[in-house]
Amino acid sequence: MPRLEEHCWSCSCSASVKTQELSSARWVVCKTAEMMSIITSVLSHAYGSLHSLQSANLIRRGLVLFIVGVVLALVLNLLQIQRNVTLFPEEVLDTLFSSAWWIPLCCGTAAAVVGLLYPCLDQHLGEPHKFKREWASVTRCIAVFVGINHASAKLDFANNVQLSLTLAALSLGLWWTFDRSRSGFGLGLTTAFLATLIAQLLVYNGIYQYTSPDFLYVRSWLPCIFFSGGVTVGNIGRQLAMVCKLTNDKFSFCI
Amino acid sequence: MTVRERLRQNISAAFYRHGLLCASYPVPIILFTSASILTCCYPLLKLPLPGTGPVEFTTGVRDYSTPSHESQGDLSERPDWYRGPPVAYIQQVLVKAAVSPWDNSLVPVDVFRSPLGRVFSVLEEIRNHVYTDRSLEALCLQVTDLLPGLRRMQAVLPEHGCLLVSPGNYWQNRRDLFDADPDLLKTVHQHEPKGLHTSATLKDLLFGVPGKQTGVNLYSKKRVVTYTITIALSSYDARFVASLRARLKQLHPSANCTLREDHMVHVHFKEEIGIAELIPLVTTYIILFAYIYFSTRKIDMVKSKWGLALAAVVTVLSSLLMSVGLCTLFGLTPTLNGGEIFPYLVVVIGLENVLVLTKSVVSTPVDLEVKLRIAQGLSNESWSIMKNMATELCIILIGYFTFVPAIQEFCLFAVVGLVSDFFLQMFFFTTVLSIDIRRMELADLNRRLPAEAGMPPPKPGPLRPRETPPPPRPSPHTITLQAPAFRNLRLPKRLRVVYFLARTRLAQRIIMVGTVIWIGILVYTDPAGLRTFLAAQVSEQSPLGEAGLPPHLGVAPVFPGGDPTSTLSGLPAPEPTPLPENQSQGHRAAHPEVAPVSSPQITWGPEDEELWRRLSFRHWPSLFSYYNITLAKRYISILPVIPVTLHLSPQEAIDTRHPQDTHHAPPPSIKTSDLQTDLTLYKVAALGLFAGVVLVLLLFCLYRVLCPRNYGQNGVPHGRRRRGDLPCDEYGYSPPISEISPLLLRGHSMDIECLASDGMLLASCCLVGHIRVWDAQTGDCLTVIPNNGLRRSSSSGCWEHRDGGGAVGGQDVDIFPIRRRTTPARPALFGDQPDLTPLIDTNFGLSPPSQALSSSGFDFGGLVEKAYQEHEPSPTLAFPPSPPPVLPPELPPQNNGDWDSSVWAMELRGNLIATGRSSGKLELWDAVEGSLRCSNEDGVSGITALAFLNNRIVAARLNGSLDFFTVEITKPLGLLQYRGPPGRGSLPPSPCYSSEDVISCQLTRSVQCAHQKPITVLKAAAGRVVTGSQDHTVRVYRLEDSCCLFTLQGHSGGITAIYIDQTMVLASGGQDGTICVWDVLTGSRVSHVYGHRGDVTSLVCTTSCIISSGLDDLICIWDRSTGIKLYSIQQEVGCGASLGVISESLLVTGGQGCVSFWDLNYGDLLQTVYLGQSSEGQSVRQLLVLDNAAIVCDFGSELSLVYVPSVLEKLD
């Protein structure tokens, strides 16, 4: 039961947090995210007391994933901001650093949760991920993910449907190229679905807006971004899990 | 299909020829490639250097006409951007105002209050100017909303109307607000950002002159206020401008003004690359280089890994340059930034081709010529390379037909990039690879010559190649670690703590984390207290000083804490473009110092002509960007300035005073703010320095994180080894005390030679020829069969029978000299034996290799006999040989007499032990009773391998023949009992033969010349017998009728390892380092991979992967279906090559005195079990995995039984 709860929490957490990656949001989400991170930390702590070694490893992986999430959030946030504000460095930097400091933190937490969930799911399903397990492929995956974000921010399509279809094809291609596992697809879909749902709710409650919504309240490419983000972070998480699994050198740093 | 096949063949042939060409003429081809790169990059010279500075072009005002859009080729002096109308014409009205004559009754505020106040009247004049029904409203540049997010500018900058800025904008162009403003300076300064700023500030924008020249300052010595009224005109009407100029000059005549008015300057702005755009770009490039790093790390088995990696990077970079150059050559200057696209392009195309090429080339047989290797490797991969290329081109074509301009451009660029990349890969990289391979071959030759002289000629080698311990080879790909001498040393706690600190670099990490956190706090909490300062200022923004502001302005931080970061972020504030003449000095010279009491002089000098030059070059872009008008790649035309001189009387100044001005002491804030700007500069410098240090630390940290720690420590670049791969780490720590403790089975006096088990029993045979039978569960010694079966003992008394077997031991010792030398010390009980050590002839270069293939075994007898004869007078012969109770009828008349043959192969099924001897004799022993049940002497050539399946025994002989025996039991099968719980394990329970049964062993068929050379491996499973031989072939026989089904050819060296299991999977490894996977049903080759440098020593499979170990101390894990290498584990030098798979995901390997357990899914070390305390030099050569998840391995003269409890759980 607690495991189920954790899954629920983590998923919604990741989703909500990912949403904010693209927008600015308010304290509601912040509070929930805080709560969720507290819960996750408590759970992981409890789990860790049982397996102290594993928990140290888990925390290490989580930390790396967290940093990756923060960096990605900052960069991608910048990409999105840039779309509206160009040629005004100060202003952009102001918005970048002043707009809700917790956004990167939440993104990091989400990345950590999703990235830890993927190998965990692999283990539970009993099908270890064997496809292209190397850092080169993972970096490639990250680059494609940034590229998809770049495209969503920079490309000017005739209509939104074209853009969304292109991005959907791209994100499916990303999954096919780098993941190809059922669990990855499922988790990515779940992430995308929940995240979009929460984005819809946030917009519905007027917390933020999209410039030209075409899918109820949000942009129709949003799920694609979430999907590819989930797959990417999952890939990193798997690689980390593979690399810094428990060894006899238990204090070594990951990677 | 035939077309496809033909195409494939053609492509392959073309690539083959190309490879030959590249490898044959490396230098000309590299020269050619470099030349073509340079040629393609030549157009890049025409491109302007990257930079964002604006460019100017001056035309005369008189004959000015808006340039047309079409390019006019004849006007060569015109820059190519000078086309079409400008974004705006900028007309500046430069106002210089002073209160004169100055008298001492005036307060400092009067210097600028009344001059500034006159701006409103001038503005009025300009706004209302009409020239033949054309007003300013019609001509000026109409602007709409400010950009969202510029709310603080809203009150100041004009919206929805003419773009006309002047200092009056501070007061919304209303005189009454100006008059009511108690503190003008505060109003002016409140919008100034603190810290270093790169773009124009609001004060600059509104005043239109550099901040220091405005004279709006309490301490101005000149007492002249200078400001401009800037008008942006959308269309140029010469007459209107002229009339405006005339009107203003007429109203405010400027004496001694000699400004030239005949030049119009067009300023073209390049695309601005802001930091905000730079960060994602830099990120993508970082990711790109990480990708390149991780990709090139996979390059293996080449001479210079870093050279090849460099070649790969050069390939990538020059293909970028080439594609950009070609694009410019054909006029395809992409509006999309090429540098922005390129990382994605590289990532999408990938370095796969480079890696695939490398892999393919190094996996060709080593013994071929370099030219042929390159050609073959290239042609092997040609089809996939072309297929990928075609697919990519197809995708790009599809992308081109989306008709989205951005995508079309990307596609064009991608096509050029793809083609140039392909070109470089084919020509440049292939050639570099060929050079590298040639170098490696030379190096190999140099190294191998002495090494091979010392190697034993392959005479005994083919017998049991898996047992040959890998000689330590100083290859560049292995790290020669010193023997971990203090592995089992328990260090004192204090030292361990210190080591722990040192190992984890805890202090460093804590410091780094601390700095990062501190920086974060610095950025977010705004150390200068700027936020409160701003909030206070913003709340006072209302001119009346009341709370007439929206409440959020007071609380919302407008630009909190952005300043330190923006200053960190790099762009130094560029000074305005310098004039040809030194402006600042000229300025001072033009304005003679005025005595404090004297009246200020208004002078006009040539420096006032183009005062805008002294503004920040971002002045105009930022002004226009507020209205979302970009000046990037466009230009503006700046009209000659209109000078306006205002002289005000002191009375006027006094009249316009605000009541607070007089009793307002000069506010100290102004002075401090000036001071502060200086201070911030220092602060910024300090912060910059600090940031640099942090950056270096961060890079160091990244380096540490990304690179393995032992990297560079041994001076050997070695990227593949990950932490924890070593059975014992290099810091000398003993691994955590394992709960797995090995059970040592002692009893053999010499090294253990053969090991066989059927799950319940365990039979071992040592060099002397003693066979011992152990209970695999408890480790009890059940039976001892001494050499020649002279005496048997009960399970309790394990006494040794030492007779002449020592000679046999000596013989074996000579056969395996390397192993012999690893045994620690000769046991004392061999005192009665002659010391045969001097006989060990390590100079194998002298012995002719042809001796290897003598069909009747090796005759060391003569050699040893001599030693024995010399030893004869030795007094200690403690145990005279006792007469054998079971007279061995198997004592055959051997060619050299009295030396008994040694056991070369042993198998155990049920309670029968089958032994094959060097004399060619096959014996069947009862495992429990230790009695000889049957023997067969049909063959004379030594039995090198045995397989015992059901009731059949297959024996492979040294002469390459294969004998099939049938074991027949005369008693009915009803008496067969079953030992052990049935159903346990995968093997069928072995039947037990009772001692009363008469067992006969008959030769049913003998396949002479099964192989041309000695059979090295023999495996049987699933009704098939597979043999591998020195003659490079593998043969598959059916067990029932001993019929040869297939002869599998594919190796280019002798077969050294074979794996076959119940699921009919057959894998074979050879001396050439290749591993082949075969389909036993059809006899076809499923996959063929090149895995090791040197022999493949051992092979096992799980359902999903193949695990191989080689002489190069690598353990490689391959995907079974695709043949792709999943990963490899680098082991210590000289590790045993034995492998075993316990469960689907648990691998066990033998090492130096230890066995290691690995998780197959992740490739990491789970545990290392040390077999003994003084275990140096002893390596595990044989390893058997029993049904009950126990492992038996030999360990010198001991056997070690290791139970893996955790695996047991998994199995159940």
Side-chain angles (χ1 to χ4, degrees):
Chain A
M1 195 56 197
R3 186 171 298 283
L4 195 68
E5 224 170 78
E6 188 191 1
H7 277 236
C8 281
W9 277 113
S10 54
C11 283
S12 58
C13 169
S14 70
S16 65
V17 163
K18 287 250 161 208
T19 314
Q20 292 136 22
E21 184 177 304
L22 303 171
S23 70
S24 59
R26 300 250 165 86
W27 62 273
V28 185
V29 198
C30 180
K31 286 286 178 203
T32 46
E34 267 176 25
M35 227 160 70
M36 284 176 252
S37 64
I38 287 170
I39 288 170
T40 14
S41 73
V42 163
L43 279 179
S44 70
H45 188 78
Y47 187 64
S49 61
L50 289 177
H51 309 272
S52 61
L53 276 181
Q54 280 184 13
S55 86
N57 178 31
L58 209 65
I59 288 169
R60 229 179 297 137
R61 269 158 51 200
L63 199 70
V64 173
L65 283 167
F66 178 81
I67 292 167
V68 168
V70 167
V71 171
L72 275 183
L74 281 176
V75 170
L76 300 182
N77 206 4
L78 203 60
L79 262 178
Q80 300 287 337
I81 290 169
Q82 219 183 316
R83 195 180 186 196
N84 304 324
V85 189
T86 39
L87 236 142
F88 197 45
E90 267 86 355
E91 208 53 39
V92 171
L93 284 181
D94 282 351
T95 7
L96 173 65
F97 287 108
S98 67
S99 70
W101 53 269
W102 43 266
I103 286 184
L105 293 191
C106 294
C107 286
T109 319
V113 169
V114 171
L116 291 180
L117 210 58
Y118 261 79
C120 178
L121 203 67
D122 281 347
Q123 218 167 28
H124 278 273
L125 289 182
E127 35 187 52
H129 189 239
K130 285 215 181 81
F131 184 70
K132 288 195 181 174
R133 303 183 312 177
E134 55 207 5
W135 278 111
S137 153
V138 172
T139 35
R140 215 174 159 192
C141 181
I142 299 172
V144 173
F145 174 60
V146 174
I148 288 177
N149 272 277
H150 208 133
S152 80
K154 277 275 175 85
L155 284 189
D156 290 320
F157 272 82
N159 55 2
N160 264 327
V161 181
Q162 264 187 9
L163 177 64
S164 309
L165 283 181
T166 312
L167 290 186
L170 275 178
S171 42
L172 271 184
L174 178 102
W175 171 77
W176 180 252
T177 322
F178 299 109
D179 191 323
R180 284 194 208 181
S181 69
R182 285 179 300 131
S183 58
F185 190 72
L187 206 52
L189 271 192
T190 318
T191 313
F193 176 73
L194 287 173
T196 320
L197 192 72
I198 284 167
Q200 299 275 16
L201 287 179
L202 287 180
V203 180
Y204 181 74
N205 289 326
I207 290 179
Y208 70 98
Q209 273 192 339
Y210 278 91
T211 40
S212 53
D214 59 340
F215 173 52
L216 296 180
Y217 300 100
V218 298
R219 301 296 296 266
S220 49
W221 43 256
L222 206 58
C224 310
I225 301 272
F226 287 137
F227 177 78
S228 46
V231 170
T232 306
V233 170
N235 245 328
I236 304 172
R238 276 170 173 164
Q239 189 69 24
L240 281 177
M242 193 190 96
V243 169
C244 57
K245 234 188 140 216
L246 184 66
T247 59
N248 65 343
D249 189 9
K250 58 184 170 184
F251 293 111
S252 76
F253 201 75
C254 299
I255 308 174
Chain B
M1 211 54 191
T2 52
V3 178
R4 189 166 170 266
E5 288 298 319
R6 220 180 307 141
L7 191 68
R8 189 171 176 162
Q9 273 179 6
N10 285 342
I11 289 175
S12 163
F15 271 70
Y16 191 87
R17 280 194 296 272
H18 175 75
L20 273 184
L21 179 80
C22 283
S24 310
Y25 306 104
V27 178
I29 284 185
I30 282 192
L31 286 180
F32 163 69
T33 319
S34 321
S36 47
I37 291 173
L38 289 180
T39 322
C40 290
C41 294
Y42 174 69
L44 286 179
L45 289 181
K46 285 190 217 155
L47 281 187
L49 284 175
T52 52
V55 211
E56 289 173 15
F57 177 60
T58 311
T59 55
V61 175
R62 303 255 175 254
D63 50 351
Y64 172 78
S65 64
T66 310
S68 61
H69 280 283
E70 292 79 41
S71 65
Q72 291 145 326
D74 50 331
L75 295 170
S76 54
E77 73 275 11
R78 283 194 178 185
D80 52 353
W81 48 263
Y82 187 60
R83 277 175 213 164
V87 177
Y89 298 91
I90 306 289
Q91 176 66 67
Q92 280 192 312
V93 179
L94 179 58
V95 180
K96 290 198 178 187
V99 178
S100 69
W102 186 260
D103 66 55
N104 285 331
S105 64
L106 295 173
V107 292
V109 185
D110 290 327
V111 172
F112 51 86
R113 179 174 275 277
S114 55
L116 275 181
R118 289 293 287 273
V119 74
F120 300 103
S121 62
V122 179
L123 270 177
E124 196 75 5
E125 185 62 39
I126 293 171
R127 277 184 196 281
N128 296 335
H129 183 75
V130 177
Y131 175 76
T132 58
D133 76 317
R134 314 195 84 167
S135 69
L136 187 69
E137 283 294 322
L139 289 172
C140 74
L141 185 72
Q142 299 283 342
V143 291
T144 52
D145 283 335
L146 281 170
L147 272 187
L150 294 174
R151 203 168 279 165
R152 67 197 168 98
M153 300 274 196
Q154 235 167 12
V156 183
L157 286 174
E159 272 187 304
H160 302 288
C162 279
L163 181 56
L164 192 153
V165 289
S166 68
N169 282 86
Y170 279 122
W171 301 275
Q172 281 97 40
N173 289 330
R174 283 163 64 188
R175 180 77 199 216
D176 50 341
L177 290 182
F178 178 78
D179 288 338
D181 192 353
D183 192 345
L184 295 180
L185 280 177
K186 198 171 179 182
T187 314
V188 170
H189 282 286
Q190 73 186 357
H191 292 290
E192 295 305 291
K194 282 181 65 168
L196 207 62
H197 31 81
T198 52
S199 80
T201 64
L202 194 61
K203 188 180 172 189
D204 288 345
L205 285 183
L206 295 189
F207 278 88
V209 286
K212 280 185 180 165
Q213 293 190 12
T214 56
V216 184
N217 187 336
L218 289 178
Y219 309 100
S220 160
K221 285 184 181 155
K222 287 181 311 192
R223 299 202 181 90
V224 178
V225 174
T226 313
Y227 53 88
T228 63
I229 297 166
T230 307
I231 312 156
L233 301 171
S234 63
S235 59
Y236 179 66
D237 189 333
R239 286 169 301 170
F240 177 81
V241 173
S243 82
L244 180 67
R245 177 185 299 269
R247 171 79 180 151
L248 286 177
K249 276 188 170 177
Q250 178 198 344
L251 279 179
H252 311 285
S254 316
N256 65 20
C257 174
T258 56
L259 297 188
R260 289 187 303 162
E261 295 170 358
D262 52 348
H263 277 91
M264 183 191 266
V265 182
H266 309 278
V267 184
H268 178 252
F269 294 94
K270 302 243 178 69
E271 190 156 26
E272 183 124 355
I273 302 173
I275 299 148
E277 287 176 44
L278 230 52
I279 289 177
L281 197 66
V282 166
T283 316
T284 48
Y285 270 94
I286 288 174
I287 295 174
L288 170 69
F289 279 103
Y291 169 62
I292 292 178
Y293 169 73
F294 284 122
S295 297
T296 49
R297 222 166 67 150
K298 288 190 295 186
I299 296 180
D300 254 351
M301 315 240 235
V302 289
K303 170 76 180 162
S304 159
K305 198 173 158 173
W306 292 104
L308 272 194
L310 185 73
V313 172
V314 165
T315 309
V316 165
L317 287 185
S318 29
S319 81
L320 161 71
L321 291 179
M322 275 175 79
S323 48
V324 173
L326 286 177
C327 278
T328 27
L329 187 69
F330 295 118
L332 289 172
T333 330
T335 51
L336 271 175
N337 196 347
E340 205 171 344
I341 301 176
F342 191 73
Y344 299 122
L345 200 61
V346 172
V347 162
V348 167
I349 300 171
L351 291 170
E352 304 298 298
N353 270 356
V354 170
L355 300 180
V356 160
L357 273 183
T358 317
K359 196 186 151 207
S360 161
V361 168
V362 298
S363 63
T364 50
V366 195
D367 43 358
L368 282 180
E369 206 184 330
V370 174
K371 236 192 275 185
L372 297 179
R373 282 186 76 187
I374 296 281
Q376 204 169 325
L378 217 61
S379 80
N380 278 347
E381 288 302 326
S382 62
W383 181 244
S384 72
I385 287 176
M386 287 314 282
K387 224 165 45 180
N388 282 339
M389 178 97 180
T391 320
E392 277 157 5
L393 285 177
C394 265
I395 290 171
I396 287 171
L397 204 68
I398 291 170
Y400 189 77
F401 285 110
T402 52
F403 295 111
V404 179
I407 292 187
Q408 279 183 331
E409 266 171 21
F410 178 82
C411 291
L412 275 180
F413 191 77
V415 167
V416 179
L418 205 65
V419 170
S420 60
D421 196 47
F422 180 73
F423 168 76
L424 284 181
Q425 275 169 7
M426 281 302 111
F427 282 91
F428 181 68
F429 190 78
T430 313
T431 317
V432 171
L433 192 64
S434 78
I435 293 174
D436 186 272
I437 297 280
R438 182 164 294 139
R439 279 181 58 206
M440 183 168 85
E441 192 150 89
L442 287 178
D444 269 7
L445 264 178
N446 287 340
R447 198 181 56 229
R448 200 168 285 168
L449 279 176
E452 268 179 356
M455 288 272 281
K459 33 167 195 170
L463 295 178
R464 293 169 195 90
R466 63 183 187 280
E467 292 179 358
T468 321
R473 309 194 317 171
S475 116
H477 304 281
T478 47
I479 288 184
T480 318
L481 283 179
Q482 50 184 352
F486 41 113
R487 184 169 50 217
N488 291 314
L489 209 74
R490 300 260 68 140
L491 289 163
K493 222 168 208 167
R494 165 176 53 86
L495 261 185
R496 282 164 73 191
V497 167
V498 170
Y499 279 151
F500 167 70
L501 284 181
R503 189 165 44 137
T504 54
R505 282 152 176 79
L506 209 60
Q508 277 176 26
R509 282 178 185 161
I510 285 174
I511 289 171
M512 264 173 223
V513 167
T515 9
V516 168
I517 289 172
W518 186 52
I519 296 279
I521 291 170
L522 215 69
V523 166
Y524 283 116
T525 58
D526 181 29
L530 186 67
R531 195 175 302 198
T532 48
F533 177 70
L534 267 177
Q537 278 204 335
V538 170
S539 62
E540 286 176 22
Q541 189 192 22
S542 157
L544 300 173
E546 273 123 28
L549 278 171
H552 71 268
L553 265 184
V555 270
V558 189
F559 43 101
D563 301 318
T565 18
S566 73
T567 56
L568 289 186
S569 44
L571 280 184
E575 284 303 308
T577 43
L579 276 180
E581 63 266 12
N582 198 334
Q583 269 290 352
S584 60
Q585 285 179 8
H587 175 77
R588 282 178 190 255
H591 294 272
E593 285 293 316
V594 195
V597 224
S598 70
S599 291
Q601 300 275 325
I602 295 178
T603 55
W604 294 91
E607 76 279 358
D608 291 323
E609 264 174 35
E610 288 172 338
L611 204 57
W612 53 267
R613 283 185 191 278
R614 310 201 53 196
L615 292 167
S616 155
F617 72 86
R618 281 222 190 83
H619 184 89
W620 304 113
S622 52
L623 175 65
F624 283 94
S625 74
Y626 290 158
Y627 299 97
N628 205 8
I629 302 171
T630 174
L631 291 186
K633 296 185 176 175
R634 297 160 84 180
Y635 75 99
I636 55 170
S637 301
I638 298 174
L639 303 174
V641 76
I642 302 174
V644 167
T645 312
L646 296 174
H647 286 282
L648 295 102
S649 64
Q651 188 53 42
E652 205 177 345
I654 291 168
D655 286 346
T656 52
R657 261 186 207 167
H658 191 269
Q660 284 192 13
D661 279 354
T662 43
H663 57 81
H664 212 265
S669 68
I670 306 303
K671 192 178 172 185
T672 50
S673 86
D674 272 355
L675 244 167
Q676 242 169 3
T677 47
D678 285 350
L679 261 183
T680 41
L681 251 175
Y682 292 121
K683 248 193 245 170
V684 161
L687 222 62
L689 197 71
F690 177 73
V693 171
V694 168
L695 205 69
V696 167
L697 282 180
L698 213 68
L699 280 180
F700 178 74
C701 183
L702 261 179
Y703 168 81
R704 276 290 173 207
V705 164
L706 280 180
C707 304
R709 193 172 306 135
N710 55 0
Y711 171 82
Q713 275 182 0
N714 294 313
V716 184
H718 190 276
R720 256 173 307 141
R721 181 188 292 237
R722 287 188 234 106
R723 308 250 342 115
D725 280 0
L726 291 169
C728 27
D729 62 10
E730 66 266 43
Y731 292 95
Y733 291 99
S734 48
I737 300 161
S738 59
E739 67 268 29
I740 303 176
S741 55
L743 187 63
L744 286 182
L745 313 182
R746 293 193 172 90
H748 281 291
S749 51
M750 290 287 275
D751 278 9
I752 287 163
E753 166 90 20
C754 303
L755 200 56
S757 167
D758 67 342
M760 305 305 291
L761 292 179
L762 188 62
S764 61
C765 174
C766 68
L767 283 175
V768 193
H770 292 306
I771 297 172
R772 278 174 181 265
V773 182
W774 316 80
D775 187 337
Q777 303 283 343
T778 60
D780 293 336
C781 179
L782 299 176
T783 322
V784 177
I785 305 169
N787 193 25
N788 297 336
L790 295 184
R791 202 168 279 191
R792 68 181 187 86
S793 64
S794 68
S795 59
S796 54
C798 293
W799 63 272
E800 264 66 47
H801 182 87
R802 316 169 195 86
D803 52 0
V808 181
Q811 180 178 0
D812 269 328
V813 160
D814 270 349
I815 293 177
F816 302 105
I818 298 171
R819 169 147 34 93
R820 167 62 189 84
R821 289 160 71 193
T822 59
T823 50
R826 201 180 181 96
L829 63 156
F830 274 82
D832 57 335
Q833 301 299 326
D835 189 2
L836 296 180
T837 331
L839 292 182
I840 298 168
D841 184 10
T842 48
N843 189 4
F844 293 95
L846 296 178
S847 52
S850 61
Q851 203 182 353
L853 307 174
S854 74
S855 58
S856 58
F858 310 107
D859 185 13
F860 288 87
L863 195 67
V864 183
E865 194 174 13
K866 216 162 63 188
Y868 260 85
Q869 280 161 3
E870 288 165 8
H871 187 68
E872 211 58 63
S874 161
T876 52
L877 196 63
F879 302 97
S882 39
V886 184
L887 259 179
E890 66 270 15
L891 270 178
Q894 292 190 354
N895 39 7
N896 45 5
D898 43 351
W899 306 110
D900 193 9
S901 58
S902 64
V903 176
W904 276 1
M906 185 168 70
E907 272 293 309
L908 175 65
R909 279 289 171 273
N911 54 356
L912 280 185
I913 301 172
T915 56
R917 292 188 175 270
S918 56
S919 58
K921 195 166 60 177
L922 176 74
E923 294 169 334
L924 281 179
W925 297 82
D926 191 312
V928 180
E929 297 178 3
S931 57
L932 180 74
R933 305 301 301 266
C934 159
S935 79
N936 189 304
E937 303 163 42
D938 289 344
V940 285
S941 182
I943 295 178
T944 57
L946 270 180
F948 195 164
L949 203 67
N950 302 333
N951 58 346
R952 281 171 193 276
I953 298 172
V954 187
R957 294 187 190 273
L958 199 59
N959 59 2
S961 65
L962 198 63
D963 289 353
F964 290 77
F965 298 93
T966 311
V967 178
E968 280 170 5
I969 308 149
T970 47
K971 274 215 172 175
L973 285 171
L975 277 183
L976 288 181
Q977 319 154 4
Y978 285 91
R979 281 184 302 131
R984 163 124 188 159
S986 55
L987 286 174
S990 33
C992 183
Y993 307 96
S994 69
S995 55
E996 288 82 27
D997 296 344
V998 178
I999 294 172
S1000 65
C1001 179
Q1002 287 180 350
L1003 177 69
T1004 50
R1005 172 146 188 218
S1006 173
V1007 184
Q1008 295 299 328
C1009 287
H1011 286 279
Q1012 307 297 322
K1013 289 185 177 179
I1015 294 172
T1016 50
V1017 210
L1018 173 74
K1019 292 277 156 110
R1024 297 284 183 277
V1025 177
V1026 186
T1027 56
S1029 154
Q1030 281 285 97
D1031 63 357
H1032 305 192
T1033 57
V1034 177
R1035 284 191 168 208
V1036 183
Y1037 293 88
R1038 198 153 43 207
L1039 189 62
E1040 291 90 49
D1041 50 2
S1042 35
C1043 153
C1044 176
L1045 297 176
F1046 306 108
T1047 302
L1048 309 175
Q1049 289 172 331
H1051 288 280
S1052 55
I1055 311 296
T1056 51
I1058 279 183
Y1059 175 85
I1060 184 170
D1061 63 10
Q1062 295 294 320
T1063 57
M1064 293 276 211
V1065 171
L1066 172 60
S1068 60
Q1071 284 178 329
D1072 52 349
T1074 52
I1075 297 160
C1076 291
V1077 183
W1078 312 86
D1079 185 353
V1080 180
L1081 295 177
T1082 63
S1084 59
R1085 189 165 75 183
V1086 179
S1087 61
H1088 172 257
V1089 290
Y1090 182 82
H1092 297 278
R1093 304 188 72 199
D1095 302 8
V1096 176
T1097 50
S1098 180
L1099 263 181
V1100 277
C1101 293
T1102 68
T1103 53
S1104 59
C1105 51
I1106 302 166
I1107 302 129
S1108 67
S1109 72
L1111 270 186
D1112 52 356
D1113 300 317
L1114 267 183
I1115 295 178
C1116 296
I1117 287 88
W1118 313 82
D1119 189 74
R1120 188 155 126 178
S1121 50
T1122 60
I1124 294 168
K1125 179 148 90 169
L1126 297 177
Y1127 53 90
S1128 61
I1129 301 166
Q1130 175 77 49
Q1131 283 201 308
E1132 272 182 280
V1133 172
C1135 276
S1138 44
L1139 287 177
V1141 170
I1142 296 176
S1143 71
E1144 195 53 40
S1145 62
L1146 196 64
L1147 172 74
V1148 55
T1149 62
Q1152 288 271 351
C1154 58
V1155 283
S1156 306
F1157 296 88
W1158 306 82
D1159 188 338
L1160 267 183
N1161 291 325
Y1162 297 98
D1164 45 22
L1165 184 63
L1166 294 177
Q1167 198 161 24
T1168 302
V1169 177
Y1170 290 90
L1171 300 178
Q1173 291 302 311
S1174 56
S1175 55
E1176 275 77 43
Q1178 296 270 24
S1179 71
V1180 173
R1181 292 184 308 271
Q1182 293 198 52
L1183 206 144
L1184 271 184
V1185 176
L1186 304 184
D1187 282 348
N1188 51 2
I1191 302 155
V1192 186
C1193 47
D1194 68 333
F1195 178 56
S1197 65
E1198 293 165 353
L1199 275 181
S1200 199
L1201 195 60
V1202 183
Y1203 287 100
V1204 194
S1206 56
V1207 180
L1208 265 182
E1209 293 160 20
K1210 264 189 196 169
L1211 277 180
D1212 297 339

